[in-house]
Amino acid sequence: MEATQDRVTYINAGHTVRSWLLTIDHKRIALLYLVSITFMFLLGGMMAGAIRLELLTPPGDLLDSDTYNKAFTLHGIIMIFFFLIPSIPATLGNFLVPIMVGAKDLAFPKINLLSWYIYIIGATIGIIATLTGGLDTGWTLYTPYSTAFATTNVILPATGLFITGFSSILTGFNFIVTIHKMRAPGLTWFRLPLFVWAQYATSLVMVLGTPVIAITILMVILDRCGFGIFDPKAGGDPVLFQHLFWFYSHPAVYIMILPAMGVISEVIPAFTRKKIFGYGFIAASSLAIAIIGFLVWGHHLFTTTQSMYAATVFSVLTFAVAIPSAVKVFNWAATMYKGSVSFESPMIFAIGFMGLFLIGGLTGLFLAILGLDLHVQDTYFVVAHFHYIMVGGAIMGYMAGLHYWWPKISGKKFPEVPAKVAALLIFIGFNGTFFPQFIAGYAGMPRRYHYYPPEYQVLNVLSTMGAGILGIGYLMPLCYFMWSLKYGEDAGKNPWGVLGLEWTIDSPPHPHNFHTTPIITSDPYDYPEMAEALGAHTGHAPAEVAHV
């Protein structure tokens, strides 16, 4: 095997700063995103740490009210808009979608680089807004907190969010065109890896939904200039903002979770050595989630001026969106049934994802019930549910994908033992952090208060202890991934011995991915065929048997 240092890869193709900042290689752009969103994740995590330390004791003795409001607002905005939304599409999606469809790059490489620069501009404006006074409206920017009664500079961070939205639109547009027009010969729609299906469904939401939030933010900026769009005194309606905001922001939940589901759909069959159960249903459920996700925004407005009839319809639709999500979980479980399951670190993250997403999804059904939603509205129950989906689901999926494809991205293996320990710490720490919040919320503790009655202290202490464990779990991958770059063993083409077009090329890949255009002749998860070819039921397969 040719040593990594003796051949040209996308990493050593250029060594200057200019070669990175002006690159149009989708793999290098993926790494630029990886570094950028990791920085934002650490920034948002610091805000979360400040919040949890403040809530250790009932009186507000660490942060005053205004500072606490700014801390949870910035935590939400940074984590959602600058980490979670771009996390998997912009990093793993950017790196893998062209390779998985057998292309040399995305359809529009220069637009791909432009989308990263737009992201950086938006994030920089957001950081400047933080350093020049912050924002205290909550990440939802609800009116009139962000308009008539705003006490902080709303326009600057709103401008940052408005600009960042274009980055999402361009990324989604690039993926859609690439998947439609640049698939390798023989790669039909129903031979696409499920990760690509998930990216495709996500891209549809990004392209169709993001303009709505961009226009809504623009309307907030105009309102701050006296237009009165959301001001009742001027004939406006503050609830209109909530309709427009959630028309995007609920589908945005699926921008964050659908790519993670795509990762899990790759990891489960890989470490089960079994053809995925119900390929067609999983692919269709991604599209169903994306489409139905546009029809459920009204369940965020059960306690507003929305009519009872409208609320009933949105309640039923919210239950409906749970069906395709349940289809995925059922099919993953059915794939594992009687499979040769091996517990490498990506698989442990994937199993953790299934458990946490299941709890988050089921508690979401509680919130779809009109009467129960009135009881837990704006309490820590909602905070816990949201984090079980967004952190327990999306970030566990992101971690599973990062561990699964890190050998392909870097060309190096990472140590398995600390990776498994990190997965367990994240699972334990996450449940320690957020499960007590279900109890606190159901008992009536409202969210966004830094001063609370003493009877909630035990639950908050448990939550803060869990957050400490969770923080250690999140920092560990950063350490051993960096370690692997210098000391890790060469990964080879296919260190996991799994199927997939990306595992047939060198690690790290050549700048043009493939030396010759691949021709696809088989389904993406033909593990029984692979086992037959090897004459064995289990074990690692050579790359030559892979999906080509």
Side-chain angles (χ1 to χ4, degrees):
M1 184 175 63
E2 190 181 6
T4 302
Q5 63 269 22
D6 296 332
R7 61 181 175 81
V8 177
T9 71
Y10 79 98
I11 295 176
N12 64 20
H15 296 286
T16 62
V17 174
R18 184 175 182 274
S19 73
W20 280 91
L21 295 182
L22 296 181
T23 183
I24 55 172
D25 187 328
H26 66 101
K27 300 179 287 300
R28 283 192 163 204
I29 295 171
L31 290 194
L32 291 176
Y33 268 115
L34 181 63
V35 173
S36 308
I37 68 165
T38 301
F39 173 75
M40 299 307 286
F41 179 68
L42 293 174
L43 200 58
M46 288 169 59
M47 296 294 173
I51 294 167
R52 287 314 323 165
L53 287 174
E54 166 54 49
L55 293 176
L56 265 178
T57 55
D61 44 13
L62 179 64
L63 306 176
D64 60 39
S65 300
D66 289 339
T67 308
Y68 184 79
N69 289 345
K70 292 174 183 176
F72 72 68
T73 298
L74 294 173
H75 166 68
I77 287 178
I78 291 171
M79 284 298 199
I80 291 172
F81 294 104
F82 296 114
F83 172 70
L84 279 168
I85 287 178
S87 59
I88 295 180
T91 57
L92 298 176
N94 236 326
F95 194 96
L96 292 162
V97 166
I99 299 175
M100 283 182 161
V101 301
K104 292 183 178 180
D105 208 318
L106 285 170
F108 304 105
K110 291 181 180 177
I111 288 180
N112 194 24
L113 179 62
L114 176 65
S115 70
W116 178 72
Y117 274 106
I118 292 174
Y119 169 85
I120 291 297
I121 293 170
T124 302
I125 293 175
I127 291 172
I128 291 172
T130 305
L131 298 175
T132 55
L135 182 69
D136 65 355
T137 61
W139 75 274
T140 51
L141 298 172
Y142 270 5
T143 56
Y145 301 126
S146 59
T147 52
F149 295 103
T151 58
T152 50
N153 184 3
V154 174
I155 291 181
L156 193 60
T159 304
L161 295 178
F162 179 78
I163 291 172
T164 306
F166 288 94
S167 174
S168 289
I169 294 171
L170 293 178
T171 299
F173 173 66
N174 226 336
F175 284 178
I176 290 172
V177 176
T178 302
I179 295 168
H180 269 273
K181 305 298 289 184
M182 298 179 67
R183 300 194 309 276
L187 187 59
T188 61
W189 280 96
F190 288 100
R191 282 180 175 169
L192 280 176
L194 289 165
F195 180 77
V196 177
W197 270 107
Q199 292 296 330
Y200 182 76
T202 304
S203 299
L204 291 176
V205 181
M206 290 162 81
V207 170
L208 296 175
T210 309
V212 177
I213 191 66
I215 292 169
T216 308
I217 290 173
L218 185 62
M219 290 164 77
V220 168
I221 294 172
L222 293 174
D223 226 46
R224 291 283 293 163
C225 298
F227 276 64
I229 300 168
F230 304 116
D231 184 0
K233 289 181 182 176
D237 182 0
V239 180
L240 171 64
F241 174 86
Q242 295 189 34
H243 279 284
L244 293 170
F245 179 84
W246 287 114
F247 182 81
Y248 163 79
S249 294
H250 195 83
V253 170
Y254 303 115
I255 291 177
M256 297 177 244
I257 198 67
L258 270 172
M261 290 173 163
V263 170
I264 303 305
S265 296
E266 297 297 323
V267 172
I268 295 283
F271 294 100
T272 309
R273 310 293 172 195
K274 191 178 168 191
K275 189 170 187 173
I276 195 155
F277 183 84
Y279 170 92
F281 284 100
I282 296 180
S285 65
S286 293
L287 294 177
I289 290 171
I291 295 168
I292 300 174
F294 275 110
L295 307 176
V296 300
W297 81 91
H299 71 223
H300 294 275
L301 287 84
F302 284 164
T303 55
T304 67
T305 55
Q306 184 175 248
S307 74
M308 181 58 69
Y309 300 107
T312 304
V313 171
F314 281 120
S315 175
V316 172
L317 288 170
T318 302
F319 277 98
V321 81
I323 296 172
S325 300
V327 165
K328 287 183 182 294
V329 176
F330 172 78
N331 284 328
W332 295 329
T335 303
M336 293 171 64
Y337 179 65
K338 290 189 176 179
S340 301
V341 181
S342 57
F343 294 97
E344 282 90 346
S345 54
M347 187 65 175
I348 297 176
F349 277 109
I351 293 172
F353 169 95
M354 290 173 64
L356 299 179
F357 177 73
L358 196 62
I359 296 173
L362 289 174
T363 51
L365 297 181
F366 292 7
L367 296 171
I369 301 171
L370 296 176
L372 190 54
D373 185 77
L374 292 178
H375 175 66
V376 296
Q377 174 82 17
D378 278 340
T379 69
Y380 264 88
F381 190 95
V382 178
V383 175
H385 155 71
F386 182 77
H387 282 80
Y388 263 85
I389 295 291
M390 292 296 92
V391 181
I395 299 184
M396 283 295 269
Y398 175 61
M399 286 289 175
L402 211 51
H403 285 74
Y404 183 50
W405 283 297
W406 181 257
K408 181 58 59 182
I409 294 170
S410 67
K412 298 289 185 181
K413 292 181 180 178
F414 56 85
E416 265 290 290
V417 173
K420 291 177 179 177
V421 171
L424 291 174
L425 284 179
I426 290 173
F427 186 81
I428 294 169
F430 179 86
N431 282 293
T433 305
F434 294 104
F435 197 82
Q437 295 181 14
F438 278 127
I439 302 170
Y442 191 80
M445 181 173 172
R447 63 178 177 172
R448 297 180 176 176
Y449 280 66
H450 77 311
Y451 192 105
Y452 60 87
E455 58 261 35
Y456 296 119
Q457 186 176 14
V458 171
L459 294 169
N460 276 290
V461 169
L462 288 173
S463 194
T464 301
M465 289 171 59
I469 298 171
L470 185 62
I472 294 170
Y474 280 145
L475 286 174
M476 286 182 66
L478 188 62
C479 298
Y480 56 72
F481 281 154
M482 292 299 101
W483 179 91
S484 73
L485 291 178
K486 186 171 179 61
Y487 302 105
E489 182 186 344
D490 283 349
K493 286 184 179 180
N494 193 357
W496 305 116
V498 295
L499 295 176
L501 202 51
E502 73 273 26
W503 301 109
T504 65
I505 60 176
D506 292 322
S507 307
H510 185 270
H512 298 301
N513 298 341
F514 302 95
H515 297 291
T516 58
T517 302
I519 299 174
I520 311 303
T521 59
S522 62
D523 293 334
Y525 306 103
D526 267 342
Y527 282 98
E529 184 178 297
M530 182 179 87
E532 187 179 341
L534 291 174
H537 180 62
T538 60
H540 288 186
E544 287 73 15
V545 188
H547 166 55
V548 290

